[in-house]
Amino acid sequence: MWIDDRPDDEPFKLGHCGCVHRRVAGPLGEGRGRLVDEAVTPSVAPALPVESSFKALATISAPDADDLATDGTMLWELTRSGGVARLDPATNTLGAAKTVDAAHMDGGFAAGGQGVWLNDFDNDLVYRVDPATLKVVTTIKSANNPEGLAVDPASKAVWVADHRGGTVSRIDAATNKVVAIIKLGDIGPSGPHQIGLGLGSVWVGVPNMANVDRIDPATNKVVAKIDIPAEATPCSKFAFSRQAVWIPSCLDATTLTRIDPTTNKVVATIDLGGNGDNPITVDGFPWLTVENFDSGPGRLVRIDPATNTIDRVVSVGDHFRGADLFVADGSVWLIDGANATIVRLPLAAFSP
């Protein structure tokens, strides 16, 4: 994950994982909730002991892994060199990668709707890849630096965040054509970033407007603009439960923002004590990886939605540097960049 805050004419460089790495202080396990809605009073959690690692079901060598995508059953890996490989959960094996975008630098990666989808940020392209053969089926022109990407298999809609255009494009997977462009904010750097699908809506983080936009996919219209606290830049991916929408911050912030989907308002920001990354929810509890570069390895962290505080901190290893969590085939998957592996963990271990 990265956020583009450079001038239009300034080139950018990415780290090996395409992430914004932030150095922060404060021990993991200190879940300090900052109140946004005065009707909600999250308690302050004490420093928590770090639990032993969950026993991995599989550890798969992946020296070039940059991102993962899943349709809920199968998984695909995006490599740093723009290749796509298939990860078969039946055998825990990673197949050979086929080059899709040899000049790839950044852009979203998603699966669903009988395709694997990849954005090319610099060249304003969206690639559709056959999930079985890994061959490019079609290349779709998308203006203004496509970043976030989400696929709704039910409606055959592919949603693309036009990062510098201030818009979101909707692609019809049945025709491979852009069928709608939805205006969200200003043209320029740090615009629409990541997209989430949940609770019957499309959710988009817009850093340069400091808000999250909620789109009704039936009408392609923005139905809510949700103000996000200035210290909680909304440029991560989303997680959903019936009662909440969760999005971590990025850049120098170390918070997780909770949105009430009924009122479309922020009701809490939770201090993670480190850099939170793209979360999942299990039985209504959000989980995410949190890294603290000043005091040891990354951890898995769980939030208690009743108190808006951290209630569990789990080790993933002494040298763990992680990224997104994914649920597929009854397991939780994540990339361990420091150890060049993809780790499969039992979903049951994440349950209350």
Side-chain angles (χ1 to χ4, degrees), residues 22-274:
R22 299 143 291 174
R23 298 186 61 85
V24 296
L28 288 175
E30 293 185 357
R32 303 178 298 277
R34 188 184 71 80
L35 188 63
V36 175
D37 184 337
E38 292 184 357
V40 178
T41 308
S43 63
V44 178
L48 299 174
V50 178
E51 300 177 27
S52 299
S53 299
F54 296 148
K55 185 177 180 180
L57 299 174
T59 301
I60 303 161
S61 177
D64 198 30
D66 186 57
D67 203 352
L68 289 175
T70 181
D71 61 4
T73 302
M74 192 64 65
L75 296 102
W76 290 266
E77 173 208 47
L78 174 65
T79 71
R80 290 189 293 270
S81 51
V84 176
R86 181 175 171 176
L87 199 171
D88 187 348
T91 60
N92 293 320
T93 55
L94 185 64
K98 293 189 177 180
T99 300
V100 172
D101 180 13
H104 183 75
M105 289 294 289
D106 192 69
F109 185 53
Q114 298 181 327
V116 177
W117 302 79
L118 170 63
N119 286 344
D120 182 329
F121 182 93
D122 274 0
N123 293 309
D124 296 338
L125 298 174
V126 179
Y127 292 95
R128 180 176 184 168
V129 178
D130 183 281
T133 66
L134 304 183
K135 293 182 179 179
V136 175
V137 175
T138 189
T139 302
I140 303 163
K141 189 69 175 176
S142 180
N144 297 306
N145 307 106
E147 176 59 47
L149 181 63
V151 182
D152 182 357
S155 65
K156 292 185 164 54
V158 180
W159 300 90
V160 179
D162 305 318
H163 188 64
R164 288 189 162 202
T167 59
V168 165
S169 295
R170 178 175 181 164
I171 296 171
D172 182 355
T175 63
N176 295 316
K177 295 186 180 300
V178 176
V179 294
I181 298 176
I182 303 159
K183 179 69 174 176
L184 301 186
D186 296 335
I187 294 173
S190 302
H193 198 71
Q194 297 293 344
I195 298 179
L197 305 180
L199 303 171
S201 298
V202 180
W203 305 77
V204 189
V206 189
N208 64 9
M209 303 297 290
N211 61 31
V212 167
D213 283 17
R214 184 175 186 175
I215 298 171
D216 181 349
T219 62
N220 295 327
K221 295 185 180 299
V222 176
V223 294
K225 285 185 174 290
I226 303 161
D227 292 334
I228 304 297
E231 70 274 18
T233 305
C235 57
S236 184
K237 294 181 182 178
F238 294 83
F240 302 91
S241 66
R242 284 181 297 177
Q243 294 83 20
V245 179
W246 306 89
I247 179 171
S249 60
C250 66
L251 297 177
D252 292 328
T254 62
T255 58
L256 177 67
T257 298
R258 177 176 182 168
I259 297 170
D260 182 337
T262 301
T263 63
N264 292 317
K265 294 183 181 299
V266 172
V267 293
T269 56
I270 301 158
D271 189 344
L272 299 171

